[in-house]
Amino acid sequence: MVRTGGTEQYGVFPREDFLIAERPGYLLHKAGLVLVEDVEKALGAVGMRIRDFFVLAALAGGPELSQQDLSRLLNLDPTTVVTVIDEMERTAYVERRRNPADRRRYNLILTESGREALATADRVATKVESAFFGALSEDERGVLRKMLGTLMAGRWPASVCAD
């Protein structure tokens, strides 16, 4: 990156002697950080944080999840999940319901206003992701999704896997 008059200009590829850029793990990590930063900034314009978006999206379909499930799924500290869900209860995006099979646990349910907030956030995130992945063809995006799915096989929490 070269700074010019207060603006940043990015080169196309790193120098050949910048060896970390040859590591797929680093590239995947860096790409994820850049994408998260872009999505976080765009979501801020609609009053949401990316972790809120991830929570709403995780609760939008499939199995009913507990706070513990969300903690594992999103790699968030359990106390952070409690704080996020408390905030989302106050905004009426999520409600806690006792798990009928285990009265010590609560299932997290997305409310109608939570679904509306998710729809807005999803449009914002989709626009950012489309721009981020814009250098890839639709076929390449599909291949990337498939490769990432392969890498993640066997690494998902049991609560989101088929029985």
Side-chain angles (χ1 to χ4, degrees):
M1 172 175 54
V2 176
R3 291 195 182 270
T4 311
T7 63
E8 298 177 350
Q9 294 182 347
Y10 292 89
V12 178
F13 296 104
R15 299 182 329 231
E16 286 184 27
D17 63 342
F18 189 64
L19 299 181
I20 196 169
E22 295 296 318
R23 303 201 57 86
Y26 171 77
L27 292 172
L28 187 61
H29 174 72
K30 184 66 174 174
L33 290 174
V34 170
L35 180 56
V36 163
E37 183 179 313
D38 291 351
V39 173
E40 184 82 47
K41 182 178 179 183
L43 286 173
V46 295
M48 191 174 290
R49 296 169 300 192
I50 198 163
R51 70 180 184 193
D52 300 331
F53 171 60
F54 287 159
V55 167
L56 293 174
L59 297 177
E64 290 185 349
L65 301 175
S66 68
Q67 291 175 173
Q68 194 173 43
D69 294 330
L70 276 178
S71 175
R72 285 188 208 106
L73 180 65
L74 301 178
N75 291 340
L76 291 173
D77 183 84
T79 57
T80 300
V81 172
V82 169
T83 301
V84 170
I85 298 303
D86 286 347
E87 291 170 8
M88 292 187 147
E89 261 192 326
R90 282 193 291 278
T91 58
Y93 289 170
V94 172
E95 64 181 59
R96 290 177 171 104
R97 290 188 191 155
R98 288 263 182 215
N99 182 319
D102 182 351
R103 302 286 297 159
R104 296 168 296 172
R105 292 175 50 132
Y106 288 93
N107 292 335
L108 302 171
I109 309 300
L110 195 59
T111 65
E112 187 56 38
S113 61
R115 289 187 188 285
E116 291 169 10
L118 174 59
T120 299
D122 188 61
R123 283 190 296 275
V124 170
T126 298
K127 184 176 178 182
V128 173
E129 287 178 353
S130 293
F132 183 82
F133 292 110
L136 301 177
S137 71
E138 198 56 44
D139 287 344
E140 289 171 323
R141 290 180 203 192
V143 169
L144 178 60
R145 273 190 297 276
K146 185 173 180 169
M147 288 189 307
L148 292 171
T150 298
L151 292 173
M152 289 300 299
R155 296 178 180 267
W156 292 99
S159 57
V160 298
C161 294
D163 295 328

